Amino acid sequence: ATTTTKTPSKDPASQNGNNNKAPPQAKVTLSNYGDPDQRRFSPWISVPACLLTYAMYQASSMLPLLLLLFGIGMAFGIIPSSVLTVLTALICLDFAIPLPNGYRPNVERKERYERLFAEGMQHYFPAKSIFLPKQELRQDQTYILAAWPHSLMGGGGHAGLYDFSQHGAGLQVIYSGATIIQYVPFVRRFLTTLGLTDVTKRGLNRILQKPAARPYTVVHLVVGGIHEMFFTPRGATHEQIILHKRKGFIKLALQNQCDILPYYCFGANQMYGRVFDHKSILCRLSSLLQVSLVVWLGRWNIPMGWMPYKVPLLGVTGHVFCVPKLAKDQITDEVVQQVHADFCVALKQLFDTYKHVYVNEMGADESWLTKELKLETE
């Protein structure tokens, strides 16, 4: 389910320091899963499912605050004790029932929800995607889907992940998240059903090491992490991500001889208006505690509102970034530095190229034409 449009294949203007000039045009395809002749679900089902997922994500990230408010409500008699009894029983039941295998999710169930979510995003925002590596993916290779930005929603704000089911040589994406997710009731069960590993070297290696466990050979990694939630706050005139100091995923790719798929979602930072920037005390506490302590505005400027602004989203999965296949004793710091530098250039080129598509095809504000993608040190 795709539509064809014209978009830049390369941005020579960026090489001269001018990112505003529209580059030469080439044909690409944009996803259209929610079109009337293509959709499988009614918008009355897909949109609430999408918004419910956002609400669940926000509730899990605010769990410490919610527990505090719940305790206060119990202490002052606002919340009856029967509610605590029911919740305790449900939580015990959740931990008593074994979780599904997050490394080997049921493909049919996983694809059904990803399709539902993709259609819901297109109807609500709208959201579309571009999938460039259609003819490049191999079933005997493993991949890191290195994704930006983290924004407020992490991977929940990334459009186009369903593209792998449609165009990705039958490969399936396994999502990654903080280890603490495995202990959050109900949320952990939902995510492991879709495919989940924790963001540790051991967890990621289980997917990336060869021989690959086909078709589960792609790991979705939000490289910027929790700290990046405080970058590109409300009113920012550029997009800023954490990449300069993130070299671990490059080393991981070299050690496992896997390749990298660069990904950027235009508009993800604008889904919610975050109030504090990366220099705030809340940012430091979030990084220290590995818990998101973010204050944001939702739709209609509602503080901590769970409904996002209706901004267009465009998720772009770039061409395969091939990593040198070296023996482990050949992987030096110099090699890691060089591959990392090359990847930074590739990601910026992806941004400079497809921001024009974001404006011309998705109706985004023309201010995007002058926006730059900056690293945390810039």
Side-chain angles (χ1 to χ4, degrees):
T2 57
T3 56
T4 302
T5 185
K6 289 186 176 181
T7 188
S9 57
K10 213 166 188 178
D11 192 353
S14 64
Q15 300 173 6
N16 301 322
N18 178 11
N19 295 333
N20 306 332
K21 182 181 176 182
Q25 300 291 300
K27 289 184 178 181
V28 296
T29 53
L30 277 75
S31 64
N32 257 344
Y33 302 122
D35 279 10
D37 60 336
Q38 299 292 338
R39 67 188 180 207
R40 301 177 186 173
F41 302 94
S42 165
W44 294 99
I45 297 175
S46 60
V47 172
C50 178
L51 296 178
L52 183 61
T53 302
Y54 291 154
M56 180 179 63
Y57 184 95
Q58 292 171 9
S60 63
S61 65
M62 296 172 59
L63 191 59
L65 177 60
L66 294 177
L67 290 175
L68 176 62
L69 294 176
F70 187 84
I72 294 173
M74 290 288 298
F76 286 91
I78 300 174
I79 300 176
S81 58
S82 58
V83 174
L84 177 62
T85 303
V86 172
L87 280 177
T88 302
L90 290 175
I91 292 172
C92 290
L93 182 63
D94 179 69
F95 279 90
I97 300 174
L99 287 174
N101 187 347
Y103 296 96
R104 306 287 187 274
N106 180 282
V107 173
E108 184 179 351
R109 187 183 302 121
K110 172 181 168 66
E111 289 186 352
R112 187 185 305 120
Y113 176 77
E114 288 176 342
R115 175 72 185 225
L116 176 69
F117 189 73
E119 290 188 19
M121 291 183 77
Q122 180 171 333
H123 288 302
Y124 182 83
F125 287 106
K128 293 188 179 182
S129 58
I130 297 173
F131 192 78
L132 298 176
K134 292 181 182 179
Q135 308 301 324
E136 304 169 14
L137 300 179
R138 299 182 2 233
Q139 292 192 355
D140 61 344
Q141 179 64 288
T142 55
Y143 301 92
I144 295 176
L145 179 61
W148 286 269
H150 187 288
S151 68
L152 180 70
M153 295 301 301
H158 292 168
L161 299 182
Y162 179 68
D163 288 342
F164 281 87
S165 298
Q166 296 296 291
H167 312 297
L171 304 184
Q172 294 292 323
V173 176
I174 300 297
Y175 304 99
S176 63
T179 305
I180 194 173
I181 292 178
Q182 299 179 13
Y183 303 97
V184 179
F186 316 122
V187 174
R188 69 194 193 110
R189 187 168 300 278
F190 170 71
L191 292 178
T192 52
T193 300
L194 297 179
L196 179 70
T197 182
D198 54 346
V199 188
T200 62
K201 185 176 181 179
R202 180 183 178 184
L204 296 173
N205 278 337
R206 287 190 62 176
I207 302 169
L208 299 175
Q209 283 180 342
K210 296 182 178 67
R214 292 179 288 178
Y216 311 102
T217 56
V218 182
V219 61
H220 174 262
L221 183 62
V222 187
V223 179
I226 290 177
H227 191 192
E228 196 177 77
M229 297 173 72
F230 291 89
F231 285 75
T232 318
R234 181 176 178 147
T237 57
H238 58 267
E239 295 276 293
Q240 192 169 25
I241 62 173
I242 297 178
L243 176 55
H244 177 79
K245 64 181 180 181
R246 295 284 198 260
K247 299 182 175 70
F249 77 103
I250 297 291
K251 190 172 184 179
L252 192 68
L254 287 165
Q255 291 173 340
N256 288 284
Q257 297 189 348
C258 67
D259 291 327
I260 304 174
L261 294 165
Y263 173 94
Y264 201 89
C265 188
F266 296 86
N269 278 321
Q270 288 69 39
M271 289 171 59
Y272 296 91
R274 286 154 292 154
V275 179
F276 295 96
D277 64 14
H278 61 281
K279 298 179 181 179
S280 65
I281 186 66
L282 284 181
C283 177
R284 297 176 185 177
L285 286 174
S286 294
S287 296
L288 179 65
L289 302 175
Q290 287 296 294
V291 175
S292 54
L293 304 174
V294 185
V295 178
W296 72 84
L297 300 177
R299 192 176 177 186
W300 303 298
N301 294 328
I302 298 176
M304 313 299 277
W306 62 279
M307 292 184 67
Y309 294 112
K310 296 189 73 171
V311 295
L313 300 179
L314 177 64
V316 182
T317 302
H319 292 289
V320 174
F321 180 87
C322 295
V323 173
K325 306 304 184 284
L326 305 173
K328 289 191 176 181
D329 58 356
Q330 296 178 305
I331 302 173
T332 62
D333 290 341
E334 290 75 17
V335 171
V336 174
Q337 293 279 3
Q338 184 59 56
V339 175
H340 180 268
D342 292 342
F343 182 83
C344 290
V345 172
L347 186 65
K348 284 195 172 189
Q349 287 178 345
L350 182 78
F351 181 89
D352 289 336
T353 299
Y354 289 94
K355 66 183 181 183
H356 298 277
V357 181
Y358 184 49
V359 173
N360 297 332
E361 301 298 332
M362 298 300 297
D365 191 275
E366 290 189 358
S367 62
W368 275 90
L369 296 176
T370 60
K371 283 190 178 184
E372 295 181 66
L373 180 63
K374 295 184 177 183
L375 309 188
E376 71 273 25
T377 55
E378 298 176 337

